[in-house]
Amino acid sequence: MSLSAVTVAGNHERQLLTGGAGASDAYARPRLSEDHWKWLRSLPATARLLDGRVFACHGSPAGGDLEYFLEDVSTGHARLDRPEAIRRRLVGAGDAKLVLCGHTHIPRVVTIDGVVIVNPGSVGMPAYDDDRPVAHVMEAGCPHARYALVTPSSSGWRVDLRAVPYDFEAAARQAEQAGRPEIAFGVRTGRMPC
């Protein structure tokens, strides 16, 4: 908030604002100040940057904040989806040559038809499970905070995916204190409990 950085809303921001009943939403809601609520209400679902050369979304340009852009989870685990499936999800990104996304918490860089798609991963939730669209897990495989640096170059977009250690043990203890042992396990390991 203090950086005034371009930020797009994701599924949890939407769920907080629309009364979502998930455990994470219930934990967060009473901890938010009026300034937080005001900021959340101001967030757009997508953003276009650099005269439309860059498109940012949470899920996919075509399917909103709950659609996995790059992954297929039909087997219960995330795997890179087929090019034709990813291509269909690009609808809505316009003429962007760089698309920034999230939602899966899995760091990836994929190129489809000259469009670079970047998911930097997650800053503090490297693993989770969900039952939509089918029961599945997302696992980054390590607890590091993730981000990406993307810079234009004469030959295209340069993407550096970064993994940074932090005090994930403190975050895991906080999850345990909130009654979320599965989240604590994921924060510590980047995996979900078996």
Side-chain angles (χ1 to χ4, degrees), residues 64-187:
D65 64 23
L66 285 176
E67 182 173 68
Y68 294 137
F69 193 173
L70 302 174
E71 283 79 16
D72 172 4
V73 295
S74 62
T75 64
H77 293 275
R79 64 179 181 158
L80 184 62
D81 212 342
R82 301 170 326 280
E84 59 272 13
I86 296 169
R87 189 176 291 117
R88 284 192 302 269
R89 296 181 198 122
L90 269 169
V91 172
D95 294 328
K97 294 301 177 195
L98 173 64
V99 178
L100 308 172
C101 65
H103 190 47
T104 66
H105 303 204
I106 307 296
R108 289 193 193 269
V109 179
V110 174
T111 302
I112 299 286
D113 301 332
V115 177
V116 178
I117 305 164
V118 178
N119 184 334
S122 173
V123 170
M125 185 107 166
Y128 67 90
D129 61 3
D130 199 352
D131 57 3
R132 290 173 302 191
V134 298
H136 64 280
V137 296
M138 290 290 183
E139 300 173 307
C142 86
H144 290 66
R146 305 294 184 127
Y147 70 99
L149 292 176
V150 183
T151 52
S153 73
S154 59
S155 57
W157 293 98
R158 176 188 166 127
V159 181
D160 294 312
L161 295 175
R162 305 284 177 98
V164 180
Y166 75 104
D167 188 1
F168 56 82
E169 184 56 37
R173 284 192 304 271
Q174 185 179 19
E176 287 170 336
Q177 291 166 359
R180 303 293 303 276
E182 75 286 359
I183 299 297
F185 185 90
V187 167

